[in-house]
Amino acid sequence: MHIYTRNLGLVSSLTILGINTGAARDQTTNPLISRLLDLSEMLAAGTKQIHEKAENTQFVKDFLRGRIRKELFKLGAVALYYTYTALEEEIERNKDHPHFAPLYFPAELHRHEALARDLEYFYGPEWKSHASCSKATQQYVDRIHQVGQEDPVLLVAHAYTRYMGDLSGGQVLKKVAQRALKLPPTGEGLEFYQFDAIHSAKAFKQLYRSRMNELEVDMETKKRLVDEAVKAFLFNIEVFEELEEIGKTIQEDVLDAGMPVHGAMGGDISKCPYYNAKMAASGGTAYVRQLAMAALRHPTGQVLFATWFAALAGLVAWYLM
Ligand code: HEM
């Protein structure tokens, strides 16, 4: 939010000073103003606050910690499938529209086929009969169709919100999911996160930003695009919150699957929250076993164990005599 409010503040200050911020003149005479008024800058700044909100939803926080229920992950993929199917249908419809054409990168970005393959991996060839569009996803999908059909320039905001986000955090999320759900290293079930036609996400994002900046849209439209991108984030948050609610009704099948491998990490295992949660859930027997193993790895523990074992053997021998 900071940069965006700064931008809008700048816009009004400039207007007060009699500088016409809407005019192309400003954008060519002052490089600083030109940059701050770039659509890509306005979108990044204008969605900063809502981005933080999205990052802080319980579902996303749990995901990042590797606390992923497989059933919920699958439902998330279903939601993404419907979202991208709608988004890419509208993108195809508007691919020649002057306000979208420069952002048309089907080979590099489009995700709905990758999601279909992920769903086939999770649910089998009959996956379509398992999939249904949830309420929150349907509202998101309806908005995408409305925009694509009635106000295509706003499609830019929806494409920006999803594709730039996927290119930004995708690789981290892929690794977390792969480890937590024990998915094959060959990438099955996670094709959504894999952009084969993009060699450098950073370079591609720069290209996408420069294409957004070259769109011939006035300041009013840029502001409408920022508002629409905020809406797009809100739709995503609604979907996360819905998944979180569904999660409360699902058995915690793989809740601890993302537990870090402490042997490789070193440090004090008892301080790990995943470890403690796992021990509490296992009813304590695993905890006792783990304590015994830990004690045996320690020299003092080995001496104590040997003493205790010798005493027990003596007791058994005395009883048998
Ligand atoms: C899992 C939590 C998330 C994390 C850790 C995260 C992280 C990041 C990071 C580090 C960037 C900056 C990348 C760069 O500078 O190039 C970024 C950018 C972005 N993220 Fe996220 N993100 C998360 C969730 C989301 C969600 C849920 C959305 C929307 C659905 C989203 C949409 C975006 C967008 C559109 C950008 C591009 C910003 C710009 O440069 O204009 N992110 N994210």
Side-chain angles (χ1 to χ4, degrees):
M1 191 65 182
H2 325 297
I3 312 171
Y4 181 49
T5 42
R6 234 178 35 222
N7 275 358
L8 292 185
L10 176 77
V11 171
S12 25
S13 320
L14 291 170
T15 314
I16 291 162
L17 291 170
I19 299 170
N20 178 6
T21 53
R25 182 169 50 93
D26 298 325
Q27 302 201 18
T28 50
T29 53
N30 187 329
L32 173 70
I33 296 172
S34 163
R35 197 166 159 256
L36 287 173
L37 300 179
D38 274 347
L39 177 59
S40 71
E41 294 282 332
M42 288 179 66
L43 282 168
T47 56
K48 191 171 186 296
Q49 197 177 48
I50 195 78
H51 185 282
E52 276 166 20
K53 195 171 177 226
E55 275 180 75
N56 283 309
T57 53
Q58 197 56 44
F59 177 78
V60 172
K61 283 200 293 191
D62 283 350
F63 193 127
L64 285 177
R65 288 183 194 131
R67 289 172 65 84
I68 313 169
R69 296 172 182 87
K70 194 166 194 176
E71 283 313 303
L72 218 49
F73 182 82
K74 286 157 67 176
L75 290 178
V78 171
L80 287 172
Y81 172 78
Y82 285 108
T83 305
Y84 281 88
T85 302
L87 181 60
E88 287 159 13
E89 213 175 291
E90 295 308 328
I91 287 176
E92 286 300 325
R93 187 197 308 279
N94 291 290
K95 65 179 181 212
D96 297 320
H97 191 291
H99 285 149
F100 197 85
L103 300 175
Y104 183 62
F105 289 103
E108 290 84 353
L109 294 177
H110 286 195
R111 303 282 85 204
H112 89 270
E113 282 172 15
L115 281 160
R117 287 192 294 275
D118 287 343
L119 291 175
E120 184 168 353
Y121 172 79
F122 287 123
Y123 293 105
E126 300 301 315
W127 66 271
K128 277 201 174 155
S129 60
H130 294 271
S132 67
C133 190
S134 73
K135 195 168 156 237
T137 310
Q138 190 62 53
Q139 282 165 357
Y140 190 5
V141 162
D142 288 347
R143 178 64 186 164
I144 292 170
H145 283 309
Q146 188 187 21
V147 155
Q149 287 160 33
E150 295 171 14
D151 203 353
V153 68
L154 294 186
L155 209 50
V156 172
H158 287 276
Y160 160 80
T161 304
R162 283 302 336 176
Y163 295 125
M164 292 288 274
D166 299 334
L167 288 172
S168 300
Q171 289 316 298
V172 177
L173 298 182
K174 181 183 175 188
K175 285 204 183 87
V176 173
Q178 203 157 33
R179 192 175 70 178
L181 303 177
K182 297 188 175 67
L183 293 169
T186 37
E188 286 93 335
L190 294 167
E191 287 195 40
F192 168 68
Y193 299 97
Q194 191 64 38
F195 289 85
D196 287 329
I198 295 180
H199 305 299
S200 157
K202 193 171 173 225
F204 189 87
K205 281 194 289 183
Q206 267 161 12
L207 169 70
Y208 203 82
R209 284 187 191 112
S210 67
R211 291 286 180 92
M212 286 197 296
N213 294 339
E214 284 160 16
L215 291 175
E216 295 205 355
V217 285
D218 58 18
M219 182 51 70
E220 191 49 42
T221 309
K222 288 183 192 178
K223 288 183 194 164
R224 288 207 307 127
L225 279 166
V226 173
D227 290 345
E228 189 66 24
V230 170
K231 265 190 205 137
F233 270 84
L234 284 170
F235 281 119
N236 280 278
I237 291 172
E238 291 285 325
V239 173
F240 296 148
E241 286 175 348
E242 186 185 60
L243 284 168
E244 177 65 19
E245 282 308 306
I246 296 170
K248 290 177 185 162
T249 67
I250 292 177
Q251 226 191 346
E252 309 215 338
D253 54 348
V254 286
L255 195 59
D256 61 351
M259 193 169 99
V261 185
H262 281 273
M265 286 168 62
D268 184 358
I269 192 170
S270 63
K271 289 193 181 131
C272 172
Y274 297 117
Y275 178 81
N276 290 330
K278 182 183 164 74
M279 289 312 153
S282 71
T285 53
Y287 188 56
V288 171
R289 197 170 58 238
Q290 194 80 30
L291 267 182
M293 294 308 288
L296 277 175
R297 277 196 290 271
H298 199 276
T300 317
Q302 287 162 5
V303 172
L304 282 174
F305 181 76
T307 313
W308 175 83
F309 188 77
L312 184 70
L315 199 66
V316 170
W318 172 78
Y319 180 76
L320 291 175
M321 271 194 325

